[in-house]
Amino acid sequence: MELKDIIKDYKYRHQLTNDEIAAQLGVTKSTVSRWISGDVKRIQEETLSRLNALLGYNIDPIIKGKSVHLKRPILGYAKAGYDMYAQENYIGDEEVTEEDFYKGDYFLQIQGDSMIGSGIMDGDLALIKQCSTVSSGEIAVVMIGDDEVTVKKVIKKPDMLVLEATNPLTENRYFSQQEIQQLPIRIIGKVIYTKTYF
């Protein structure tokens, strides 16, 4: 992993422009562009300190080509008008391998037992890949209206969308095409895997 990968990841997750990142760090837009293209390998100490504070961890070992402990944020559930990465949703960080760093963008803490048939338990940490669509049969993070977020298996039918629970004690939910548009129903991520801590 290189500096350019870290900056690209931060830019993607927070939906920022090079200008916005430059303003946050007190550097020029062209400096950020050179970081992203991989043209710059060294950073002044003061800028590095600001970059570490912005990212939430020390990237000095990455710049020196050493191994580093990579992390992904653990987020609560999105609420009306909140950004998934807003401070209100941040609960901490979870270490990941470099491979998993690229697979997923953040963790959600699972609440409830509606997906126990898929091995997803109450309290698990689910690694989520931010996306707006999944294939039928995949497990996704789905936003219903502006204030409800759920993790369910998404079943796509010609005239409806089914949010399927894998716990027989939990009812599935069915939404017509009209409800999908009006509520709305939005897929905001795909579950990559879950971690269980005992």
Side-chain angles (χ1 to χ4, degrees):
M1 170 160 290
E2 298 177 35
L3 174 64
K4 64 181 181 180
D5 302 314
I6 297 284
I7 303 295
K8 281 180 191 172
D9 175 70
Y10 182 80
K11 181 180 174 180
Y12 161 75
R13 283 195 293 123
H14 295 278
Q15 301 294 297
L16 296 172
T17 64
N18 288 3
D19 277 333
E20 290 167 327
I21 294 173
Q24 288 178 350
L25 293 169
V27 298
T28 64
K29 176 185 170 183
S30 63
T31 296
V32 175
S33 297
R34 288 198 307 273
W35 287 345
I36 289 172
S37 67
D39 292 341
V40 175
K41 302 279 192 263
R42 296 190 58 195
I43 299 180
Q44 292 179 352
E45 283 299 320
E46 192 178 326
T47 305
L48 181 60
S49 177
R50 287 197 295 267
L51 190 54
N52 286 339
L54 187 70
L55 297 172
Y57 57 95
N58 182 16
I59 64 161
D60 197 35
I62 292 170
I63 292 168
K64 293 177 178 170
K66 296 177 183 172
S67 64
V68 66
H69 296 291
L70 299 172
K71 296 176 181 175
R72 282 298 190 198
I74 303 170
L75 306 176
Y77 285 96
K79 300 294 179 193
Y82 284 13
D83 170 9
M84 281 299 283
Y85 291 96
Q87 192 63 37
E88 294 92 324
N89 294 335
Y90 176 78
I91 339 179
D93 291 300
E94 181 73 8
E95 263 188 38
V96 292
T97 63
E98 185 169 339
E99 182 184 357
D100 288 348
F101 186 84
Y102 289 111
K103 281 183 184 174
D105 298 301
Y106 59 89
F107 285 93
L108 279 183
Q109 189 145 32
I110 300 297
Q111 297 173 339
D113 61 1
S114 67
M115 296 301 290
I116 57 172
S118 300
I120 301 174
M121 308 298 178
D122 185 41
D124 278 3
L125 290 181
L127 181 63
I128 311 298
K129 181 69 178 174
Q130 211 166 291
C131 63
S132 58
T133 185
V134 294
S135 300
S136 186
E138 290 188 311
I139 298 172
V141 184
V142 183
M143 184 168 253
I144 302 168
D146 287 329
D147 59 2
E148 183 185 353
V149 175
T150 187
V151 173
K152 294 287 181 289
K153 186 180 283 189
V154 174
I155 307 296
K156 297 177 180 179
K157 296 183 178 277
D159 57 343
M160 72 171 60
L161 183 74
V162 182
L163 298 184
E164 184 179 283
T166 58
N167 178 344
L169 301 177
T170 305
E171 290 185 9
N172 295 339
R173 295 175 73 177
Y174 302 85
F175 298 94
S176 67
Q177 291 298 329
Q178 186 177 355
E179 287 173 317
I180 292 167
Q181 297 299 318
Q182 287 179 345
L183 283 169
I185 307 294
R186 290 177 293 139
I187 290 165
I188 58 174
K190 176 183 171 181
V191 176
I192 305 300
Y193 67 71
T194 60
K195 290 183 175 185
T196 303
Y197 288 103
F198 297 100

